[in-house]
Amino acid sequence: MVDIRAELKDFAAAFNEELCQYFPMPQGPEKRVVEAMEYSVLNGGKRIRPFLVKETAKLFDVPLKQSIRVGAALEMLHVYSLIHDDLPAMDNDDLRRGKPTCHKQFDEATAILAGDALLTYAFEILSHKNTHPDAKIRCQLVQLLAQAAGGFRGMVAGQMLDLLAENMAATQNSEELIYKIEEMKTGRLLRFAIEAGAVLGEADLDAHNALMLYARKIGLTFQISDDILDVEGDQALVGKTLHKDEAQNKLTFVALYGLQGAKDLARKLTDEAKEALAIFGSKAQTLADLAEFIISRNK
Amino acid sequence: MVDIRAELKDFAAAFNEELCQYFPMPQGPEKRVVEAMEYSVLNGGKRIRPFLVKETAKLFDVPLKQSIRVGAALEMLHVYSLIHDDLPAMDNDDLRRGKPTCHKQFDEATAILAGDALLTYAFEILSHKNTHPDAKIRCQLVQLLAQAAGGFRGMVAGQMLDLLAENMAATQNSEELIYKIEEMKTGRLLRFAIEAGAVLGEADLDAHNALMLYARKIGLTFQISDDILDVEGDQALVGKTLHKDEAQNKLTFVALYGLQGAKDLARKLTDEAKEALAIFGSKAQTLADLAEFIISRNK
C-alpha cells in the first residue's frame, strides 16, 4: 500500500510524457481547439483508467506499447466526458483538479468542440494499426468502447439519468436508481479499462469473468469513495468544489446508506474485488493494491 | 435531372425506414437521450451523404446492406454536428429543417448528450461486423471517419476556424481562409462519403483518385450553393433562418466573389466534377446527376 501510491505517481508521470506526443499543433488559428484538448488532458489526472489497462494487459504479457495506446484512447474519452459534464448546461463547474475548467479557461464553444474532438480522437487512436497488429482486436476495442460510452446503456445514458435524478433522492426506487446510474456513468468506463486489457491479452473465459467481477466491485467502490470524498474530502487536495451533493439534494451512496454504511459497503466490495483476483495469484498483486488505493484515496 | 430529385426522395424514404431500427428505446427515464437522438436524426434530411456512399459503392458492386450501414454511421455523425452547431454557445439556432432544434425541443444538456451519443454511435456502427466481414476494412473506415471529423484537420477544426473567422470577412487572407474552412467543415464529411464507397469496393488507385477529385469539386459546390441559398433561398423551403450570413458579417463565397461570381464558380466546379467521373462511363450517371442537383438545389 505504500508502494501503490508511488507506482501510480510514476506511471502518471511517464504516461503524461507519452500523452504530450498526441497533440501536434496545427499552424492556423484552429489550433485553439487542440490547445483546449491538450489543456484538459494534461490537467493532472491520476490516470487510474490507463493504469488499469496496463496492469490487466500485463497479466497476459501484452506489449506495453499496445496497452499504453489503449490507455491514451480511454483517457481522451474520459476527459471529453469531464469537459462536457462541467459545462454550464450540465454540472456548471468552474474548477477541475484545482484549475479552471475548459469552458472557463477558453469559452463554451471551444469546450464543446474540444470534447467532441477528444471523443473522436479516442476512436482514431484505437483503430490505428499501432494499437494492435490484428484488425479484429482493434475493431473489438472500438465496439466495446463505443458501447461503454454510448447513449443506450453506456456512459451518456448514465449522465442523462444522473441529470434526471437530481432532486429524486427521497423516492422509493432510490437504491435501484443509484446502482443503475453508477453502473452506466462511471462503471462502464472502468470496466472497459479492464476488459480492454483482457481483449489485448486474448484472455480465456475464466480469466475474463474474474476480471469482470473485479471491475464491477472496484467500479462501485470508486463511486462510493467519490461520494464520501464530497462529504469528507479536503477541497485543496481534491481540487474541485465539494459539498455539492447535499446542497443539490443529489442521490449518493452516502445519502442512501449514511456515511458509515457507505464506508462499510466500500470495504466489503474491496475485499470481494481482491478475492476475484485469486486465480491470477501473485501476478495480480498490483491490481489488488489498486483496489485498496481506490477505497483509501483522499483526492 | 428530373429523375435525380425523385431518386433522392425515394432513397431518403427507404433510408429513413432503415434508420428507425437504429433506436431501440431503453425502458428507464434515460430513454430521453435516445428520444433526442431519434428526433434529430429523423428530422427530414435530404440524406445526400448516405446516398453518396451508396452510389459510389455501387460502382464496385458492393452489397447494398454494407453501404447503407456506413451511410447510417455517417448520418449519425453529421446529425451530431448539427445538434452541437445549433447550441446557444455555437450558432444559436432555433430552427432546423423547419422544426425546433434539439435543444429547443428538449433542453441544452440533453442536446449536448444526444450529440455525444450520436458521435459515439457512428463508430459503434462502423466497427460492427455487419458493416463488412473484413475487420481491416472496418478499421480503415473508423480511421477515415475519425480523421475527417476530428479536431486536427477535420470537421471540428473547421468549426473552430469558422467560429474564429466571424467578423474577419474583410481581411486580406479571406480567400485562403474560406477554402480552408470549407474543406474542413463541410468538405471532409462529403469526401468521407465517397471515400467510404471506394474503400468498401476496394477501388484501384485510378478510380480512387478520380472519386477524390469529384468529391473535392462537389464539396466546394455544396458550400457555395449553401451560401447562395442564404441570400436567395425561400425560408419556407430551406427550413432554417436565412440571411444570417450578411447580418453576422460572415465570410462566405458570396461575400468574397459576389452572387454572380459565386454562381459562375459553382458551374465551373460542377462541370469539372462530372469530367472527373469519365473513367466510370455510364455507370456514374447518377453521381453526375447528383452534382447537377447540388448546384441547383433550392433547399
Side-chain angles (χ1 to χ4, degrees):
Chain A
M1 270 307 293
V2 180
D3 286 340
I4 185 72
R5 281 176 204 280
E7 199 173 338
L8 260 172
K9 214 175 151 183
D10 289 350
F11 171 77
F15 185 72
N16 288 346
E17 274 193 36
E18 192 73 28
L19 280 181
C20 291
Q21 300 168 22
Y22 280 82
F23 299 98
M25 270 306 147
Q27 293 293 311
E30 72 274 21
K31 73 177 176 194
R32 181 177 173 83
V33 72
V34 182
E35 286 166 351
M37 292 161 77
E38 190 181 39
Y39 170 82
S40 300
V41 170
L42 299 177
N43 199 3
K46 291 182 292 295
R47 314 300 183 195
I48 287 181
R49 290 161 195 78
F51 186 77
L52 277 170
V53 180
K54 183 197 73 147
E55 283 302 318
T56 311
K58 220 166 81 177
L59 295 175
F60 309 99
D61 303 314
V62 171
L64 186 62
K65 190 188 143 211
Q66 293 175 11
S67 53
I68 293 295
R69 280 188 64 89
V70 174
L74 179 53
E75 199 67 5
M76 304 295 172
L77 194 136
H78 171 58
V79 173
Y80 122 75
S81 78
L82 301 179
I83 294 175
H84 282 189
D85 229 25
D86 288 337
L87 286 168
M90 307 274 287
D91 280 357
N92 194 20
D93 271 311
D94 295 349
L95 275 181
R96 167 72 66 185
R97 294 166 187 157
K99 289 191 200 161
T101 47
C102 190
H103 67 275
K104 281 283 165 189
Q105 181 73 14
F106 294 86
D107 55 69
E108 254 187 89
T110 304
I112 293 168
L113 291 174
D116 293 343
L118 284 170
L119 171 54
T120 307
Y121 200 23
F123 295 109
E124 183 178 342
I125 296 167
L126 281 188
S127 61
H128 192 279
K129 62 181 166 34
N130 285 357
T131 298
H132 196 281
D134 185 346
K136 276 207 291 291
I137 301 275
R138 303 202 298 275
C139 270
Q140 203 180 337
L141 293 170
V142 170
Q143 269 289 297
L144 288 171
L145 185 60
Q147 287 170 358
F152 296 96
R153 287 196 54 79
M155 182 182 70
V156 167
Q159 285 170 311
M160 185 80 254
L161 201 54
D162 196 29
L163 285 170
L164 295 169
E166 274 174 26
N167 299 311
M168 277 173 64
T171 72
Q172 58 180 25
N173 297 318
S174 296
E175 188 160 10
E176 191 186 332
L177 189 59
I178 194 172
Y179 279 92
K180 194 171 165 187
I181 293 173
E182 182 285 320
E183 205 223 311
M184 297 195 293
K185 190 177 173 177
T186 56
R188 290 208 60 181
L189 273 206
L190 283 167
R191 193 170 88 194
F192 172 82
I194 293 159
E195 192 161 18
V199 167
L200 285 171
E202 300 179 60
D204 65 28
L205 194 63
D206 283 350
H208 193 273
N209 288 344
L211 286 168
M212 291 302 93
L213 191 62
Y214 168 79
R216 182 83 195 101
K217 306 287 181 186
I218 65 162
L220 263 169
T221 309
F222 197 89
Q223 185 59 52
I224 296 168
S225 70
D226 233 34
D227 292 348
I228 293 171
L229 273 178
D230 188 76
V231 178
E232 288 198 328
D234 177 338
Q235 183 149 330
L237 272 178
V238 179
K240 66 178 178 184
T241 315
L242 296 179
H243 314 300
K244 282 185 67 177
D245 294 345
E246 202 179 348
Q248 294 178 350
N249 195 24
K250 256 203 147 169
L251 190 56
T252 71
F253 285 96
V254 173
L256 194 64
Y257 298 127
L259 191 56
Q260 191 55 48
K263 284 177 173 172
D264 292 345
L265 177 58
R267 181 69 259 159
K268 177 170 164 284
L269 289 163
T270 301
D271 292 338
E272 290 168 353
K274 289 158 78 175
E275 281 161 31
L277 298 171
I279 64 164
F280 301 108
S282 63
K283 276 189 100 172
Q285 187 56 49
T286 308
L287 287 175
D289 291 346
L290 191 76
E292 287 294 340
F293 169 78
I294 286 171
I295 194 178
S296 65
R297 71 203 173 98
N298 56 9
K299 61 178 180 170
Chain B
M1 268 308 292
V2 179
D3 287 339
I4 185 73
R5 281 178 205 279
E7 199 173 336
L8 260 172
K9 215 176 150 185
D10 288 350
F11 171 76
F15 186 72
N16 287 347
E17 275 194 35
E18 193 73 27
L19 281 181
C20 291
Q21 300 168 22
Y22 281 82
F23 299 99
M25 270 307 146
Q27 293 293 310
E30 73 273 23
K31 73 177 176 194
R32 181 177 173 84
V33 72
V34 182
E35 286 165 351
M37 293 161 76
E38 191 181 37
Y39 169 81
S40 299
V41 169
L42 298 178
N43 199 4
K46 290 183 290 297
R47 314 302 185 195
I48 287 181
R49 291 162 193 78
F51 186 77
L52 277 169
V53 180
K54 182 197 73 147
E55 284 302 319
T56 311
K58 220 166 81 177
L59 294 175
F60 309 100
D61 303 313
V62 170
L64 186 63
K65 189 188 143 210
Q66 294 175 9
S67 52
I68 292 294
R69 279 187 65 89
V70 173
L74 179 53
E75 199 68 5
M76 305 295 173
L77 193 135
H78 171 58
V79 173
Y80 121 73
S81 78
L82 301 179
I83 294 175
H84 283 189
D85 230 25
D86 288 337
L87 286 168
M90 306 276 284
D91 281 356
N92 195 20
D93 272 310
D94 296 349
L95 274 182
R96 168 71 65 185
R97 295 168 186 157
K99 290 191 201 160
T101 47
C102 190
H103 66 276
K104 281 284 163 185
Q105 181 72 15
F106 295 86
D107 55 69
E108 255 187 86
T110 304
I112 293 167
L113 291 174
D116 292 344
L118 284 171
L119 171 55
T120 307
Y121 200 22
F123 295 109
E124 183 178 342
I125 296 167
L126 280 188
S127 61
H128 191 279
K129 62 179 166 33
N130 285 357
T131 298
H132 196 282
D134 184 346
K136 277 208 290 292
I137 300 275
R138 303 202 297 274
C139 269
Q140 205 182 337
L141 292 170
V142 171
Q143 270 288 297
L144 287 172
L145 185 60
Q147 287 170 357
F152 296 95
R153 290 197 52 79
M155 183 182 71
V156 167
Q159 287 172 309
M160 185 80 254
L161 201 54
D162 196 30
L163 286 170
L164 295 169
E166 275 174 26
N167 299 311
M168 278 173 63
T171 73
Q172 56 180 26
N173 296 319
S174 296
E175 190 161 9
E176 191 187 331
L177 189 59
I178 194 172
Y179 280 91
K180 193 170 165 188
I181 293 173
E182 181 285 320
E183 205 223 310
M184 296 195 294
K185 189 176 174 179
T186 56
R188 290 207 62 181
L189 274 207
L190 283 167
R191 194 170 88 194
F192 172 82
I194 294 159
E195 193 161 17
V199 167
L200 286 172
E202 300 180 60
D204 65 29
L205 195 62
D206 283 350
H208 192 272
N209 288 344
L211 286 168
M212 290 302 94
L213 191 60
Y214 168 79
R216 182 82 193 101
K217 305 289 179 182
I218 66 162
L220 262 168
T221 309
F222 197 89
Q223 186 58 52
I224 295 168
S225 71
D226 234 34
D227 292 349
I228 292 172
L229 273 178
D230 187 77
V231 177
E232 288 199 326
D234 176 338
Q235 183 149 330
L237 271 176
V238 180
K240 67 178 177 183
T241 315
L242 296 180
H243 316 298
K244 281 185 69 178
D245 293 346
E246 202 179 348
Q248 294 179 350
N249 195 22
K250 255 203 149 169
L251 191 55
T252 70
F253 284 96
V254 173
L256 195 64
Y257 297 128
L259 190 56
Q260 191 56 48
K263 285 178 175 173
D264 292 346
L265 178 58
R267 180 71 258 158
K268 178 169 164 284
L269 290 162
T270 302
D271 292 338
E272 289 168 355
K274 288 157 77 177
E275 280 161 32
L277 298 172
I279 64 163
F280 300 109
S282 62
K283 274 189 103 173
Q285 187 57 48
T286 308
L287 287 175
D289 290 347
L290 192 76
E292 287 294 339
F293 169 78
I294 287 171
I295 193 178
S296 65
R297 70 203 173 98
N298 55 10
K299 60 175 182 173

